Structure formats: structure tokens, C-alpha cells
Amino acid sequence: MASLNIPPLRIALFGKPGAGKGTQAEALKGAFGLAHLSSGEILRSEIREGTLLGRKVEQYVLRGEIGPEDLITEAIIGYIERKHSSGGYALDGFPRTLYQAEELDGRFPPDLCLLIDISDEEAVKRLSGRYTCVSCEKIYSTGASGKPAVPSCERCGGELRRREDDTPEVIRRRLRVYMEQVVPVISRYREKGLLETIDGALSPRLTGKKIASVIAGKISGNRGFLA
Ligand code: ADP
């Protein structure tokens, strides 16, 4: 789809692990020129580089837990401020707690929140059968062989591996964190009238089409937003 001439849109994507937030955020780059800001990806890159932040959050990320709130919130909001304060983006994985949502709303309030909805069963099935590129984090699902169809990343040539937190125990914990911490954030944005829910059980392409039509509707239907 051609890029649209639209004002910078700040979108927050919500959904259980495996719902397809990353895949859809990547699609939004092409369709709407939005940057993809994944808090998990930012933290994993800090861990790989061995930065102070990376060392402080590593154990939490491996366990699928929320790490030190202030530190992570400052890091992600600081990242938006430095790199994306005037452009549009899709946030993936942030805000994840009410504290993070309050801080974000005070600085860069989202224009639109999208919940990509899947069942727990579907989340576990998807995460248990996926490989991720260690360099660019492109996701590969597995077929009957239990391995991805290609030996290395089609996009960057990187090595494909299972993510360390895609184990049954950590997946269960991530789903619990989602229910306890993220669901109240979703309710907050629903109450503000900013939330749209999309069925994430459809194919990535169909889910993407629905998301694109929600965004197009938001742009054309909201003069205040366009001003
Ligand atoms: P998923 O949504 O599939 O569980 P992410 O890649 O978004 O995975 O996040 C991976 C891990 O990184 C989380 O389990 C958590 O430990 C950490 N993390 C990501 N985003 C945040 C955040 N906003 N606040 C605290 N921890 C986070």
C-alpha cells in the first residue's frame, strides 16, 4: 500500500505475547510510515550490548517479568524523545503498567490504541512454534518439521533461534503479567475512548487490513485529531 500523506500518528499496540504486535507494527511502517518501537526489542538490544540498563533488566526479561519501573519507563520515553518526538510510531510492548501509561500520557499521549485479540491457547501455540532472527527480530513460524522453512533470516541473513523467553514456563508467566498488569492499561484507554479491538486470530494479512481500515477511519473521522 502506498504511504499516505497523514499527520504523525502515535499508536499503542496491545495484545498477548504472540498476538502479532511486532508483525503488524512492521506492516504499519510500509502502510503509514510509522516507526516500530518495540520495548522488548530495545531492552534485548541493551542486553546484547551489555549496557548498564541491559545488565539491570536482563534477569527480568529472561523470566518474563516487569523489570525496574522507573528505569524502563525513563529509557523508553527517553528513546521516543530522542528519536521520534515529531514523527509517527507504533509502540509495541509499552506502556505495560498503569505507571508507564500515566508517564506516557503526560509526555506523548497515544492518538489511538489497538488491541489485537487472541486466546491464551493461540498465544501458547504460536510462541512455542516460532523462531526469531537474533539480529533484526523478524519472526519465522515452523511447519511440520518443527523448523523454519529457511536456514537463516531472509531480511538480514542473521541466525534464527528460539527466543529464550519462549519456553512454556516463561510463556505462562508472560500471560499472567499480561492479565495482571496490561489488562488494566487496556481498560484505561478504553475508558478514554481511544481503544479499538481487532480479531488477531485471522491471518496476518487480514488482521493488517482490519488495522489499516481502523486507522484510515480514525484519520478521516476525527477533525480534532487532524488539526
Ligand atoms: P512479549 O510481549 O511477547 O511478551 P516483548 O518482546 O514485548 O515480549 O517483551 C519481552 C520482555 O521484555 C518482557 O517479558 C519484559 O520482561 C520486558 N519488557 C518489555 N517491555 C517492557 C515494559 N514496557 N516494561 C517492563 N518490562 C518490559
Side-chain angles (χ1 to χ4, degrees):
M1 197 193 300
S3 285
L4 302 177
N5 186 17
I6 55 168
L9 253 177
R10 292 175 181 151
I11 294 182
L13 293 171
F14 294 95
K16 289 172 188 156
K21 303 182 293 292
T23 305
Q24 296 304 334
E26 285 298 316
L28 290 175
K29 259 190 206 171
F32 295 96
L34 303 177
H36 173 196
L37 302 188
S38 156
S39 53
E41 207 171 315
I42 293 170
L43 297 179
R44 280 186 293 277
S45 128
E46 297 277 333
I47 293 169
R48 274 198 303 276
E49 286 165 22
T51 63
L52 185 62
L53 173 66
R55 292 200 300 277
K56 287 193 174 161
V57 300
E58 182 166 16
Q59 289 312 311
Y60 298 96
V61 172
L62 283 175
R63 289 198 297 261
E65 290 169 3
I66 301 280
E69 281 265 82
D70 295 16
L71 207 66
I72 292 179
T73 306
E74 258 323 294
I76 305 295
I77 293 182
Y79 189 90
I80 298 173
E81 202 156 54
R82 283 195 308 282
K83 305 202 173 191
H84 300 282
S85 57
S86 59
Y89 51 76
L91 281 173
D92 156 11
F94 189 90
R96 225 178 184 84
T97 65
L98 282 173
Y99 170 78
Q100 294 180 356
E102 277 158 22
E103 294 293 308
L104 182 71
D105 290 353
R107 308 276 286 283
F108 300 104
D111 302 304
L112 175 64
C113 299
L114 297 170
L115 167 61
I116 307 176
D117 196 27
I118 58 167
S119 65
D120 280 10
E121 294 70 33
E122 184 66 20
V124 173
K125 194 172 103 199
R126 288 185 188 178
L127 296 180
S128 316
R130 76 176 188 183
Y131 277 68
T132 306
C133 171
V134 293
S135 311
C136 74
E137 298 218 344
K138 183 169 162 59
I139 288 166
Y140 293 84
S141 49
T142 54
S145 67
K147 292 274 176 199
V150 289
S152 54
C153 180
E154 302 170 311
R155 186 156 65 189
C156 73
E159 186 192 342
L160 306 185
R161 274 202 220 144
R162 301 292 317 280
R163 234 170 75 178
E164 284 182 85
D165 57 350
D166 281 349
T167 60
E169 188 199 341
V170 181
I171 292 170
R172 272 197 302 277
R173 190 173 304 123
R174 282 155 66 198
L175 284 170
R176 204 163 54 235
V177 168
Y178 178 83
M179 288 309 295
E180 289 168 3
Q181 309 271 2
V182 186
V183 167
V185 178
I186 295 170
S187 303
R188 171 187 176 96
Y189 289 120
R190 183 178 289 116
E191 279 157 26
K192 286 178 184 270
L194 289 174
L195 189 82
E196 297 284 345
T197 302
I198 289 104
D199 181 2
L202 305 168
S203 68
R205 201 179 63 84
L206 276 180
T207 306
K209 278 181 89 167
K210 295 214 164 191
I211 289 178
S213 89
V214 168
I215 294 175
K218 172 87 183 174
I219 292 166
S220 62
N222 189 339
R223 288 183 183 284
F225 170 76
L226 272 174

